[in-house]
């Protein structure tokens, strides 16, 4: 039964061609918003907290600070309204899911950049 579901997802769900990124990276996601008849592009820039799932059901969580309030947003990787993803910085972290990042503020909330 599971293989049948996986087959249907692989065949019929369109996959976006997006760059590889991981937890700790700072990325900008450009996505479409429909408001009645109008369509506009909005972006969300922040640090990737986690990537979760496999295949077509894969999602990623981004966290940004809006003033003094932390805002998190979960995006499905194969969301048709995602136009593009830009990688602004590659972060050096030791974990795949950096939930501890939620509790950090100020200079402690910095993630060191990977050297190429």
């Amino acid at each position: 039964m599971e293989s049948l579901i996986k087959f249907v997802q692989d065949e019929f769900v369109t996959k976006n061609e997006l760059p590889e990124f991981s937890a700790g990276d700072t990325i900008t996601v450009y996505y479409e918003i429909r408001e009645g008849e109008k369509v506009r592009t909005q972006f969300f820039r922040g640090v990737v907290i986690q990537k979760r799932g496999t295949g077509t059901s894969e999602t990623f969580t981004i966290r940004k600070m809006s003033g003094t309030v932390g805002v998190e947003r979960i995006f499905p990787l194969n969301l048709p309204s995602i136009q593009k993803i830009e990688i602004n910085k590659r972060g050096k972290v030791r974990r795949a899911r950096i939930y501890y990042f939620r509790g950090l503020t100020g200079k402690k909330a910095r993630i060191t950049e990977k050297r190429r």
Side-chain angles (χ1 to χ4, degrees):
M1 187 66 180
E2 289 181 24
S3 61
L4 183 64
I5 293 171
K6 189 174 186 301
F7 172 76
V8 171
Q9 284 180 343
D10 290 342
E11 288 295 318
F12 297 108
V13 176
T14 58
K15 291 193 175 187
N16 292 344
E17 294 297 321
L18 300 172
E20 274 299 313
F21 59 90
S22 61
D25 295 350
T26 303
I27 64 172
T28 306
V29 179
Y30 293 88
Y31 58 97
E32 283 183 356
I33 291 184
R34 296 187 192 281
E35 295 172 336
E37 297 287 317
K38 297 178 188 174
V39 177
R40 65 184 177 90
T41 302
Q42 189 170 338
F43 67 90
F44 193 90
R45 180 179 181 179
V47 177
V48 178
I49 297 289
Q50 70 170 343
K51 282 180 83 172
R52 155 177 284 172
T54 58
T56 56
S57 63
E58 192 170 356
T59 62
F60 59 97
T61 304
I62 301 178
R63 179 180 176 83
K64 75 172 184 178
M65 292 302 291
S66 181
T68 58
V69 180
V71 180
E72 289 187 12
R73 176 129 193 212
I74 300 170
F75 289 98
L77 204 58
N78 292 312
L79 188 68
S81 63
I82 291 180
Q83 292 177 338
K84 68 177 178 174
I85 293 178
E86 286 180 357
I87 300 174
N88 304 107
K89 280 196 254 179
R90 298 255 183 213
K92 181 181 177 187
V93 292
R94 294 182 175 187
R95 309 193 165 272
R97 297 185 175 160
I98 53 173
Y99 298 133
Y100 65 87
F101 193 66
R102 293 172 177 156
L104 303 180
T105 56
K107 287 186 179 180
K108 291 179 183 176
R110 288 192 202 156
I111 295 177
T112 58
E113 197 167 350
K114 268 188 193 173
R115 294 191 173 222
R116 296 177 205 269

